[in-house]
């Protein structure tokens, strides 16, 4: 940890700015003074014991700059104490990962100035700010209507009421430059620097890029098999079945091996054994004042029955209505498709053959627009449901978005495959949807944000040069630029995109074998575009400890189960299989269902046989648990001996005094 970077020439104290804190420009002076005092105050007095300084931006032509921008830092000792408070795991001298304690700091490997990464330091500061609690204040000074009560998170309260605009970690220019060079600035077919990504952005984001890399490499066998299958147009029944069966086995092995990979990464990063922190209420959560039965603190309480009524009487009908609209748009697409086919049949030509792809392209664009609009509506509804915890909010949001996206993206393909039973149209529709959605995603997620941010950067640089002249104040310019950057909203959209691509490959790649090839090419560009976005388009996000990809693991596993049913049904619909049952459709259905059940059983057996955590990590975790129990027993024994010794000494002194009195 390096100390000594001054904030401005007029600052008496100097420290490394780690986090930017921006209050509303009309915030009352009493509230600012109170908040800064609480941030600087000692821990024993209920403060965060952090360093904070104000940034003063020069006045602009017609606009007054926000005077309420602050940078927050910390001393090294405070960060180390904070590392123990948040439960960071670090590598011990024996090579195992153990919970860090300040008392045993010298027993951890590489304990020096770089012991804590920037991401960990910023996470510690965020934790200290989030857990800064009200004491005996009835309201925020200067805001009589902004009520407080003992134990309430001050920062979350200010954020929910709009007094606190934002707070975010500051980029480290030198580390960012090194990471950019090793990550995306030169094209190379190699693994990503996941440890460096984790060091700079934290475990949650590093696990996403680890999954993206793993998914891309796992698709290579599917792509290598799919290319000759597509080029030579293999229609032989045996090869068709082999490709479908390989698809089923691949989707299962892919997910099970990923569990082992993520466990290995999480153990090496110290998050696999880390206990989950107690969740605070969301900033937007509201309700009548009551008591938390776990913590005993006063906080808003909202009846679960009201939330359930909102979910089942409003949210569920809204989702069903959106699904109906999705089906309606799908039927309009089929009308357009039949219209294009009729025109081609009447006058086959190059122009009419190109026209055959127009309905699918239009439908793919409409799908992306509907997904985007539905996402905003789903976020509004989930927020309106008033979930107390962020994890509950995310789970309900993921469920809403997944259901709609699945139906919106795959319903037309299922209809073509199992109602129309037109495999030629299915292949054409899948190819068009896949290619169009990838192009749109690249434009919306990479090129458009890059172009907008580049324009914004130029404006900020010109403004700062005009105002500052030759005076060099790089921190002011950096903070000004980063406060105007877009906020990274997490890995939700990134995982959603990979989930849909996984669905295209696992569900229908036996009909369109090039699906895996297109997804590999997409993911290669995705790595570079996402890396660039994280480094130069978005504000730096706070580190989020993670042991796995969370609810998305369940989503991918559900998709793989649907893939078993879909591929078996596609095999049953193939002309080669139907030829064996010319007069008995019932017998064919029963055989396909039986094969499907056998494959599902095989899938679950395979998932059971392959352990989620590698054996050597299981041994290390068991060893750590054993050592913890032994240390606990030793502490209890020592404490009891101390109590017993003190009691014996007291009794001895008592009887000695009694003998003296009797004598």
């Amino acid at each position: 940890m390096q100390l000594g970077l001054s904030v401005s020439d007029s600052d008496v104290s100097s420290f490394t700015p780690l986090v930017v804190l921006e209050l509303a420009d009309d915030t009352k002076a009493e509230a600012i003074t109170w908040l800064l005092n609480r941030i600087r105050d000692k821990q024993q007095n209920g403060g965060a014991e952090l360093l904070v300084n104000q940034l003063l931006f020069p006045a602009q032509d017609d606009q007054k700059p926000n005077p309420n921008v602050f940078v927050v830092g910390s001393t090294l000792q405070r960060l180390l104490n904070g590392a123990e408070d948040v439960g960071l795991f670090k590598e011990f001298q024996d090579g195992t990962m153990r919970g860090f304690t300040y008392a045993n700091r010298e027993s951890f490997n590489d304990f020096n100035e770089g012991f804590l990464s920037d991401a960990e330091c910023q996470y510690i500061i965020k934790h200290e700010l989030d857990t800064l609690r009200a004491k005996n204040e009835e309201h925020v000074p200067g805001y009589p209507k902004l009520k407080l009560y003992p134990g309430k998170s001050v920062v979350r309260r200010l954020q929910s009421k709009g007094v606190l605009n934002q707070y975010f970690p500051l980029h480290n220019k030198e580390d960012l430059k090194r990471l950019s060079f090793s990550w995306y600035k030169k094209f190379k077919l190699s693994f990503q620097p996941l440890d460096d990504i984790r060091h700079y952005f934290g475990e949650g984001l590093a696990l996403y890029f680890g999954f993206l890399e793993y998914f891309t490499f796992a698709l290579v066998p599917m792509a290598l098999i799919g290319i000759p299958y597509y080029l030579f147009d293999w229609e032989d029944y045996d090869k068709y079945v082999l490709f479908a069966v390989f698809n089923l086995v691949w989707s299962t092995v892919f997910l099970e091996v990923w569990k082992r990979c993520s466990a290995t990464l999480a153990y090496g990063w110290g998050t696999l054994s880390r206990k989950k922190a107690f969740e605070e209420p969301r900033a937007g959560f509201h309700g009548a004042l009551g008591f938390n039965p776990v913590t005993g603190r006063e906080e808003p309480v909202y009846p679960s029955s009201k939330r359930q009524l909102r979910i089942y009487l409003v949210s569920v009908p809204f989702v069903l209505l959106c699904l109906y609209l999705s089906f309606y748009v799908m039927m309009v697409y089929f009308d357009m498709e039949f219209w294009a086919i009729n025109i081609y049949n009447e006058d086959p030509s190059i122009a009419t053959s190109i026209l055959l792809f127009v309905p699918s392209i239009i439908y793919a664009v409409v799908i992306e627009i509907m997904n985007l609009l539905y996402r905003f509506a789903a976020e509004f509804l989930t927020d309106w449901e008033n979930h107390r915890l962020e994890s509950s909010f995310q789970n309900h949001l993921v469920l809403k978005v997944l259901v709609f996206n699945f139906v919106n993206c795959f319903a037309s393909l299922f209809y073509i495959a199992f109602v129309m039973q037109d495999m030629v149209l299915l292949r054409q529709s899948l190819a068009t949807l896949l290619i169009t959605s990838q192009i749109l995603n690249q434009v919306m997620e990479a090129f458009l944000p890059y172009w907008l941010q580049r324009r914004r950067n130029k404006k900020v640089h010109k403004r700062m040069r005009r105002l500052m002249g030759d005076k060099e104040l790089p921190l002011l310019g950096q903070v000004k630029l980063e406060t105007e950057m877009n906020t990274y909203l997490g890995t939700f959209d990134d995982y959603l995109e990979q989930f849909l691509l996984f669905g295209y490959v696992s569900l229908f790649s036996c009909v369109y074998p090039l699906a895996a090839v297109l997804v590999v090419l997409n993911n290669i560009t995705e790595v570079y575009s996402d890396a660039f976005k994280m480094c130069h388009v978005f504000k730096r996000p706070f580190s989020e400890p993670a042991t796995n990809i969370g609810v998305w693991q369940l989503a991918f596993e559900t998709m793989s189960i649907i893939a078993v049913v879909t591929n078996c049904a596609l095999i049953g619909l193939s002309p080669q299989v139907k030829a064996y049952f010319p007069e008995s459709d019932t017998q064919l259905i029963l055989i396909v269902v039986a094969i499907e059940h056998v494959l599902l059983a095989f899938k679950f057996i395979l998932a059971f046989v392959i352990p989620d955590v590698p054996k050597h990590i299981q041994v290390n975790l068991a060893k750590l648990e054993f050592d913890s129990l032994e240390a606990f027993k030793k502490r209890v024994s020592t404490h009891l001996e101390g109590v017993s010794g003190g009691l014996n000494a007291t009794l001895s002194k008592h009887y000695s005094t009694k003998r003296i009195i009797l004598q």
Side-chain angles (χ1 to χ4, degrees):
M1 181 72 188
Q2 298 176 350
L3 300 176
L5 178 63
S6 63
V7 178
S8 69
D9 296 338
S10 61
D11 290 325
V12 177
S13 61
S14 61
F15 60 88
T16 301
L18 293 172
V19 173
V20 176
L21 194 73
E22 183 186 23
L23 301 174
D25 56 1
D26 59 349
T27 304
K28 301 292 181 61
E30 308 97 284
I32 296 174
T33 303
W34 168 75
L35 177 62
L36 296 183
N37 288 337
R38 291 298 311 276
I39 293 175
R40 291 169 176 150
D41 204 1
K42 300 289 185 182
Q43 279 188 289
Q44 54 265 34
N45 298 330
E49 204 169 338
L50 299 173
L51 307 175
V52 58
N53 272 326
Q54 185 177 14
L55 288 180
L56 298 176
F57 294 94
Q60 301 177 15
D61 298 334
D62 299 324
Q63 296 180 349
K64 183 180 178 181
N66 187 351
N68 301 325
V69 179
F70 305 88
V71 286
V72 183
S74 175
T75 62
L76 179 58
Q77 182 174 352
R78 179 69 186 89
L79 289 173
L80 292 174
N81 288 329
E84 181 176 352
D85 294 339
V86 300
L88 288 186
F89 270 62
K90 291 290 186 178
E91 188 177 6
F92 207 64
Q93 289 178 345
D94 60 0
T96 60
M97 303 299 293
R98 296 174 182 263
F100 174 78
T101 57
Y102 185 78
N104 297 329
R105 59 190 180 279
E106 300 293 342
S107 300
F108 288 85
N109 288 340
D110 301 324
F111 182 77
N112 50 38
E113 289 189 350
F115 182 67
L116 295 177
S117 67
D118 267 0
E120 290 170 335
C121 294
Q122 290 164 339
Y123 173 74
I124 292 168
I125 289 181
K126 180 180 185 295
H127 173 267
E128 298 301 334
L129 291 175
D130 286 344
T131 55
L132 190 64
R133 304 189 183 282
K135 295 186 290 185
N136 53 1
E137 302 95 340
E138 295 182 356
H139 59 83
V140 175
Y143 295 90
K145 294 183 179 180
L146 215 168
K147 301 296 183 182
L148 289 174
Y149 36 88
K152 176 66 177 178
S153 173
V154 171
V155 169
R156 289 175 181 268
R157 184 65 169 167
L158 295 176
Q159 192 176 18
S160 64
K161 294 302 180 180
V163 178
L164 175 61
N165 285 345
Q166 61 179 339
Y167 66 116
F168 59 90
L170 201 60
H171 275 294
N172 184 311
K173 291 184 178 180
E174 294 182 2
D175 290 349
L176 184 62
K177 186 177 180 179
R178 286 193 294 268
L179 176 62
S180 300
F181 183 78
S182 64
W183 194 5
Y184 72 88
K185 280 197 171 180
K186 55 181 182 179
F187 181 80
K188 58 187 185 303
L189 293 176
S190 63
F191 294 104
Q192 297 178 86
L194 294 180
D195 288 329
D196 295 338
I197 298 171
R198 175 252 173 180
H199 187 275
Y200 193 81
F201 288 110
E203 294 81 13
L205 202 60
L207 270 177
Y208 161 70
F209 281 101
F211 177 79
L212 179 60
E213 176 182 273
Y214 171 80
F215 183 29
T216 306
F217 278 104
L219 282 168
V220 171
M222 293 286 292
L224 293 177
I225 294 177
I227 291 174
Y229 178 87
Y230 181 82
L231 292 178
F232 299 108
D233 197 22
W234 293 348
E235 294 294 342
D236 184 68
Y237 164 64
D238 295 330
K239 294 182 175 61
Y240 183 86
V241 173
L242 289 175
F243 189 85
V245 171
F246 178 77
N247 193 356
L248 299 174
V249 176
W250 171 84
S251 62
T252 300
V253 174
F254 156 73
L255 293 172
E256 292 304 316
V257 176
W258 163 248
K259 289 181 185 177
R260 295 171 60 85
C261 292
S262 65
T264 303
L265 290 173
Y267 178 78
W269 294 339
T271 58
L272 190 61
S273 305
R274 190 170 171 181
K275 293 181 180 179
K276 188 177 180 181
F278 181 79
E279 282 193 83
E280 297 287 339
R282 294 176 57 244
F285 176 68
H286 56 85
L289 191 62
F291 284 92
N292 186 318
V294 177
T295 64
R297 302 193 194 106
E298 279 188 301
E299 66 177 41
V301 175
Y302 189 78
S304 177
S305 57
K306 288 187 178 180
R307 184 180 301 112
Q308 298 301 321
L309 287 175
R310 290 188 174 191
I311 292 174
Y312 291 110
L313 296 183
V314 179
S315 296
V316 172
F318 175 79
V319 173
L320 294 177
L321 175 62
C322 291
L323 294 179
Y324 171 78
L325 292 176
S326 176
F327 280 114
Y328 180 80
V329 171
M330 180 187 72
M331 300 312 297
V332 173
Y333 155 66
F334 285 128
D335 290 339
M336 294 173 58
E337 195 74 56
F338 295 144
W339 169 76
I341 292 173
N342 290 333
I343 292 179
Y344 176 79
N345 291 335
E346 292 176 0
D347 181 23
S349 63
I350 297 177
T352 54
S353 63
I354 295 175
L355 184 64
L356 290 174
F357 293 93
V358 172
S360 296
I361 294 174
I362 295 175
Y363 183 54
V365 174
V366 171
I367 283 177
E368 295 299 323
I369 295 174
M370 291 177 64
N371 287 340
L372 186 63
L373 294 176
Y374 177 82
R375 171 68 184 276
F376 289 120
E379 287 181 349
F380 174 81
L381 271 181
T382 310
D383 186 64
W384 178 72
E385 290 167 5
N386 197 26
H387 295 277
R388 177 180 175 273
L389 301 179
E390 184 65 28
S391 59
S392 176
F393 174 87
Q394 290 296 330
N395 289 339
H396 282 79
L397 178 61
V398 167
L399 181 60
K400 289 185 183 71
V401 173
L402 282 186
V403 169
F404 180 79
N405 277 260
F406 181 85
V407 172
N408 201 31
C409 294
F410 298 112
S412 62
L413 301 178
F414 279 101
Y415 187 86
I416 296 172
F418 303 119
V419 178
M420 298 173 61
Q421 298 185 13
D422 187 342
M423 297 304 160
V424 176
L425 180 58
L426 176 62
R427 175 181 293 190
Q428 173 190 316
S429 299
L430 176 59
T432 307
L433 287 174
L434 188 55
I435 294 172
T436 306
S437 64
Q438 289 180 355
I439 293 174
L440 290 175
N441 284 330
Q442 291 298 330
V443 171
M444 297 298 295
E445 294 184 8
F447 296 109
L448 184 60
Y450 167 71
W451 180 73
L452 293 175
Q453 187 58 43
R454 187 176 179 128
R455 289 187 60 189
R456 191 181 296 120
N457 291 358
K458 287 182 178 179
K459 289 181 180 179
V460 172
H461 287 313
K462 286 181 180 179
R463 193 183 311 132
M464 294 301 295
R465 280 199 301 269
R466 185 173 65 250
L467 295 171
M468 306 306 300
D470 296 331
K471 191 174 181 181
E472 183 68 22
L473 281 178
L475 180 61
L476 287 178
Q478 181 184 355
V479 172
K480 182 65 176 176
L481 180 64
E482 293 187 24
T483 53
E484 297 186 10
M485 283 182 171
N486 294 326
T487 300
Y488 181 64
L489 300 178
T491 55
F492 185 98
D493 290 321
D494 299 314
Y495 278 121
L496 177 61
E497 180 183 354
Q498 297 304 310
F499 170 79
L500 295 176
L501 293 176
F502 176 71
Y504 285 127
V505 173
S506 61
L507 295 176
F508 300 107
S509 61
C510 61
V511 176
Y512 183 62
L514 284 185
V517 179
L518 294 176
V519 174
V520 168
L521 296 176
N522 174 82
N523 283 2
I524 291 174
T525 59
E526 190 81 14
V527 168
Y528 288 90
S529 62
D530 284 354
F532 178 82
K533 280 192 310 182
M534 296 309 306
C535 294
H536 296 289
V537 175
F538 292 115
K539 291 184 182 75
R540 184 178 182 178
F542 279 107
S543 169
E544 288 294 336
T547 59
N548 49 49
I549 61 176
V551 68
W552 291 103
Q553 181 74 36
L554 177 61
F556 278 91
E557 290 177 352
T558 303
M559 180 67 82
S560 69
I561 294 174
I562 298 174
V564 172
V565 180
T566 303
N567 280 273
C568 288
L570 287 173
I571 292 173
L573 290 175
S574 64
Q576 295 90 343
V577 175
K578 285 186 175 182
Y580 288 94
F581 306 92
E583 298 179 356
S584 178
D585 291 339
T586 303
Q587 187 177 2
L588 172 59
I589 293 173
L590 291 176
I591 291 177
V592 169
V593 170
I595 294 174
E596 170 216 313
H597 280 62
V598 171
L599 289 174
L600 283 174
F602 173 74
K603 176 181 175 64
F604 290 123
I605 291 172
L606 199 63
F608 177 77
V609 169
I610 302 176
D612 295 346
V613 181
K615 185 66 177 179
H616 69 282
I617 294 180
Q618 293 182 23
V619 172
N620 287 338
L621 293 177
K623 179 182 177 182
L624 179 61
E625 185 177 358
F626 174 78
D627 291 344
S628 299
L629 289 174
E630 290 297 310
F632 177 74
K633 290 178 182 178
K634 186 176 180 180
R635 285 197 300 269
V636 171
S637 176
T638 303
H639 177 71
L640 291 177
E641 288 177 1
V643 172
S644 176
L647 180 61
N648 290 335
T650 302
L651 291 174
S652 176
K653 183 177 179 180
H654 170 74
Y655 285 119
S656 298
T657 304
K658 187 175 181 180
R659 283 197 300 270
I660 292 173
I661 293 174
L662 291 175
Q663 290 175 354

